[in-house]
Amino acid sequence: PWSDVVIRGQRLAGEGFATQALRLILPPTTEGLGLAFGEAYSAERLWVNGLLTMERGRVGTSRSTEVADVQGRIVPVNGLSGTADLAIEISNHFHSRGGPVHAITLGPRDMLRRNAEMNARLDFFLIGCLLVLGLFYAALSLSRPDLEIILFALLTLLLALRTATLAWYITAILPLGSEGQLRLDYVTFIVLPLIFAALIAELFRADVPRIVPRLAFWYGALALIGPLALDTQTFTSLRNLNIAMGAAFAAVAVLSVA
């Protein structure tokens, strides 16, 4: 992302728009080749030798004119020889990290699709395992409403949801759009380590100070204001703080037991 770039001692802001250009030296034949674009917290237009080849979302110079679309794409590359001039118009008024998140990959389209499908199968396998485990403990909590069972059911179900939002599968089921799915992603991102800390505290009540789950609860309630009420640029800028606080609560709970 361009927000990781430092110029004259200052880090670039995530919000903005730019055009990036690249010249590719191509193999003798480009039949069957493709360009794989990973997720990007932005909108993009790809031009190949002056022809519009891909449009992801709607590029804009302001929040009101941009429509972000973060999902990856595989773009065919056919009928080219020698060199290809790529120009990517990018805008980001959506996330605190601006610009492409992943490098563009050039390769055989079939291989790129197989890799994407394999990653999706692994994700769905993990989501399925977590859902089965979570639903089992949720059902068990109906007959045994112990707090540790309820917390473990919540933890596994939220892990399944987190896995689905990370890979941007939710929009295939629910019409949330990129913004709605990003907000859901950050809700699970904030809540999961706090539920884990509460679970450890409940399992080892004699070892973990009771103030740990209480502080975790109040911090979670405060932090959730971000994805529930603030604009996407603002609450995503608090990502590192949420990582640090979530890790701190989980670490304190585990170290208290150790």
Side-chain angles (χ1 to χ4, degrees):
W2 64 55
S3 52
D4 292 342
V5 176
V6 177
I7 298 178
R8 296 175 184 172
Q10 291 190 336
R11 189 178 298 276
L12 294 180
E15 187 170 2
F17 51 93
T19 300
Q20 298 179 338
L22 174 69
R23 173 165 290 178
L24 289 178
I25 300 175
L26 300 170
T29 176
T30 59
E31 293 303 319
L33 289 182
L35 291 166
F37 289 78
E39 67 175 75
Y41 302 131
S42 58
E44 295 178 342
R45 276 195 300 238
L46 170 67
W47 302 79
V48 179
N49 291 340
L51 296 176
L52 181 61
T53 306
M54 179 201 67
E55 190 163 12
R56 176 161 56 171
R58 186 176 69 222
V59 176
T61 57
S62 65
R63 296 188 189 187
S64 61
T65 58
E66 178 189 274
V67 176
D69 185 352
V70 300
Q71 289 186 301
R73 300 281 193 281
I74 296 176
V75 180
V77 178
N78 293 318
L80 302 176
S81 61
T83 61
D85 291 319
L86 275 59
I88 305 174
E89 298 174 351
I90 306 170
S91 69
N92 174 51
H93 305 279
F94 175 68
H95 198 281
S96 60
R97 300 183 72 199
V101 182
H102 304 288
I104 302 169
T105 303
L106 173 67
R109 280 201 308 277
D110 290 342
M111 182 192 73
L112 295 174
R113 288 197 182 99
R114 282 197 302 271
N115 290 343
E117 289 169 359
M118 178 60 70
N119 290 334
R121 289 192 189 102
L122 290 173
D123 288 338
F124 286 127
F125 176 75
L126 178 59
I127 291 169
C129 291
L130 289 168
L131 280 176
V132 168
L133 193 60
L135 291 173
F136 172 79
Y137 275 90
L140 182 62
S141 69
L142 297 177
S143 58
R144 290 179 53 192
D146 299 329
L147 185 55
E148 62 267 23
I149 293 177
I150 296 171
L151 287 171
F152 187 75
L154 279 174
L155 184 69
T156 50
L157 290 172
L158 282 172
L159 275 171
L161 181 59
R162 171 78 177 152
T163 304
T165 55
L166 273 176
W168 301 91
Y169 298 132
I170 297 295
T171 50
I173 305 171
L174 300 173
L176 296 178
S178 295
E179 181 176 333
Q181 184 155 311
L182 183 67
R183 291 184 183 278
L184 185 59
D185 176 19
Y186 270 70
V187 167
T188 60
F189 170 68
I190 292 168
V191 170
L192 271 170
L194 307 182
I195 290 180
F196 175 77
L199 176 61
I200 297 298
E202 187 63 26
L203 290 172
F204 302 95
R205 296 175 66 91
D207 299 310
V208 181
R210 302 314 298 167
I211 195 172
V212 173
R214 292 193 188 103
L215 286 176
F217 172 81
W218 286 112
Y219 174 76
L222 182 64
L224 283 174
I225 294 174
L228 294 179
L230 301 180
D231 64 87
T232 56
Q233 280 273 343
T234 303
F235 74 75
T236 55
S237 68
L238 301 174
R239 179 175 179 270
N240 290 339
L241 173 63
N242 289 323
I243 289 175
M245 294 301 294
F249 282 119
V252 167
V254 172
L255 290 174
S256 297
V257 175

